[in-house]
Amino acid sequence: MSERFQAIGEELRTGKYDLVSLQEVFADDMYRKLVHLVEDVLPYHHYFYSGWTGSGVCVFSKHPITDVCQHQFTLNGQPDGIRKLELDWFGGSLVGLCRIQYSGTEINLYATQTHAAHASTEELSTYRAHKLSQAFEISQFIRFTGRSADLNILAGDLNLQPRELGLKIIQSDSGMEDAWLTAEHKKADDSGVTFRHPENNFATPGVLKRIDYILYKGSAGCRVKCVHCETTMHKVPGKPFNYSDHEGVLAHLELEKVSEPSDAPSNPPDLSERDTSLRQAVQILEEKMASVASRRLFYTAVLLLCLLLVIPITRLPIHHVVTSLMHLLFGLVIGWSFWMGVVFLETEKRGLLASKARMEVLLNVSEMKNK
């Protein structure tokens, strides 16, 4: 185990944490070693297996995990993004759910890491439509699975800044509150920045961001308030490096069971905000569908060009070994172009259509209610 992961395990085993959500724990061996390190204080745990490299998302808990569920995102980047080391597609990103029993209270803990923007701003990201689809699927997953829970918590790297469209969709559709914004107490010198913090030795130059969150929502039978929220796990004590390139987020939530719950929903979703956000998202999804058609033309052209060139190569006066290598190369390019143009891009188009159709259902229902 690396010294950094060892330090993470030692921090978690201090007993300060009831529930922990980690991301980018891609190696199963590292996860197992973390389990061993913290088992005395966080005996319950679950890893959400997915994709080729793994989702990297896992949960540790002081309290019993009674059920688990996960949803792998319909859209999750593209495999040809590997040219920029954008490996999100291979991880099979998801939102996972652990149902936890805590002193007679049922808690749904949702853990996730969404697609990174891989751009200087969200608006310039070629993955913006995918990120919006993921945000909508998170909110839908919470709404459909969280109705019976006393408390719903979403914790993870959302790769969204506070005023970005994706976060607006999650909060307005699910009714969840941001612990950082609602906390009664915060440290005066805590900026809330979780990525590219100037004192983080892993930080790369760029805009300081708050992209890691703890969102929460109570219920008619359980009132919830955030007493304290802070960024945590900065520099490893006595070491020249940080625990992670992201700062951790810590929230202290106070629960109060209601003896006679009302029928009124707790913190109902803001439907006007949701509908405005969904209309913008639908437009972005439509623009992405048009770009998918352009990319399909590109791969079709590459495929046809390779087919036209592969036959004349055999007539060139070159060594047969070189000819064989060139045939192999053209074969790989032809196979890749066929798979991208015929299989992947069609799958992406249908994923965009599915997200757009689900959004339009909610928009149509709102229009009917307003008539």
Side-chain angles (χ1 to χ4, degrees):
M1 174 180 278
S2 71
E3 196 174 3
R4 187 172 64 86
F5 261 83
Q6 180 75 27
I8 291 172
E10 290 175 356
E11 170 64 19
L12 296 183
R13 70 190 295 182
T14 58
K16 294 189 290 188
Y17 311 100
D18 287 284
L19 305 174
V20 176
S21 167
L22 297 180
Q23 300 84 50
E24 297 192 9
V25 185
F26 293 116
D28 190 59
D29 181 55
M30 288 297 180
Y31 168 67
R32 294 297 169 192
K33 289 178 179 177
L34 279 176
V35 168
H36 178 69
L37 274 173
V38 306
E39 60 186 355
D40 291 339
V41 291
L42 297 168
Y44 306 98
H45 49 85
H46 185 77
Y47 186 93
F48 296 97
Y49 291 95
S50 179
W52 181 58
T53 60
S55 72
V57 177
C58 56
V59 166
F60 295 87
S61 172
K62 271 187 183 180
H63 312 283
I65 296 174
T66 60
D67 204 356
V68 294
C69 183
Q70 67 187 59
H71 169 73
Q72 186 170 333
F73 297 129
T74 305
L75 296 168
N76 191 34
Q78 51 205 42
D80 58 350
I82 194 172
R83 65 187 184 277
K84 299 178 183 176
L85 297 179
E86 300 164 8
L87 302 176
D88 304 69
W89 184 84
F90 296 90
S93 295
L94 50 71
V95 54
L97 161 62
C98 286
R99 186 157 289 164
I100 296 165
Q101 285 295 327
Y102 169 72
S103 301
T105 302
E106 186 175 280
I107 299 175
N108 277 7
L109 175 60
Y110 299 90
T112 191
Q113 181 177 19
T114 66
H115 200 294
H118 296 301
S120 56
T121 66
E122 184 69 18
E123 290 72 20
L124 295 176
S125 174
T126 58
Y127 303 107
R128 194 181 185 196
H130 288 215
K131 288 167 60 61
L132 291 174
S133 173
Q134 291 182 357
F136 183 61
E137 289 184 2
I138 289 172
S139 68
Q140 292 279 283
F141 188 67
I142 293 171
R143 285 207 302 116
F144 279 102
T145 60
R147 291 169 179 167
S148 63
D150 295 303
L151 169 63
N152 291 310
I153 301 172
L154 172 63
D157 176 6
L158 299 183
N159 276 304
L160 295 165
Q161 296 198 72
R163 288 176 292 278
E164 287 182 8
L165 184 57
L167 188 61
K168 289 180 181 179
I169 290 174
I170 292 173
Q171 290 193 260
S172 62
D173 190 34
S174 68
M176 302 191 92
E177 298 181 87
D178 185 345
W180 177 258
L181 297 180
T182 60
E184 295 179 347
H185 304 286
K186 287 185 289 213
K187 293 180 179 179
D189 60 346
D190 194 340
S191 64
V193 169
T194 65
F195 185 59
R196 291 184 179 142
H197 193 284
E199 296 180 7
N200 192 309
N201 70 294
F202 296 117
T204 55
V207 179
L208 307 184
K209 296 181 179 182
R210 182 166 79 90
I211 57 176
D212 302 86
Y213 296 85
I214 296 175
L215 306 180
Y216 68 94
K217 181 181 180 181
S219 62
C222 183
R223 297 194 189 100
V224 185
K225 69 175 179 180
C226 183
V227 178
H228 178 80
C229 188
E230 64 179 79
T231 58
T232 187
M233 295 182 69
H234 306 290
K235 194 81 74 177
V236 176
K239 301 294 181 181
F241 53 84
N242 286 63
Y243 287 99
S244 168
D245 60 333
H246 289 238
E247 314 305 310
V249 182
L250 171 67
H252 175 195
L253 302 179
E254 189 173 281
L255 314 183
E256 180 187 357
K257 294 286 281 188
V258 179
S259 55
E260 295 182 5
S262 66
D263 294 331
S266 172
N267 190 32
D270 184 345
L271 297 185
S272 61
E273 168 93 11
R274 182 200 69 182
D275 291 351
T276 300
S277 299
L278 290 182
R279 289 189 190 96
Q280 294 179 53
V282 166
Q283 182 178 352
I284 292 166
L285 291 172
E286 290 174 342
E287 292 170 357
K288 183 63 176 178
M289 281 188 275
S291 75
V292 167
S294 300
R295 289 177 63 210
R296 177 173 287 172
L297 288 175
F298 167 78
Y299 281 110
T300 301
V302 171
L303 177 63
L304 292 175
L305 180 62
C306 289
L307 289 172
L308 288 172
L309 292 175
V310 72
I311 297 175
I313 284 176
T314 58
R315 300 174 183 174
L316 294 176
I318 54 179
H319 196 278
H320 68 90
V321 174
V322 177
T323 304
S324 299
L325 289 174
M326 293 183 71
H327 278 154
L328 176 61
L329 177 62
F330 276 112
L332 291 173
V333 174
I334 289 169
W336 176 257
S337 300
F338 178 84
W339 185 74
M340 285 295 298
V342 176
V343 180
F344 173 76
L345 290 177
E346 180 63 23
T347 303
E348 184 181 22
K349 184 189 81 171
R350 291 178 184 274
L352 292 164
L353 284 170
S355 298
K356 177 174 175 284
R358 291 196 298 269
M359 293 178 184
E360 288 175 338
V361 167
L362 295 183
L363 292 172
N364 290 337
V365 170
S366 292
E367 287 180 8
M368 287 189 290
K369 287 181 178 179
N370 293 331
K371 286 183 179 179

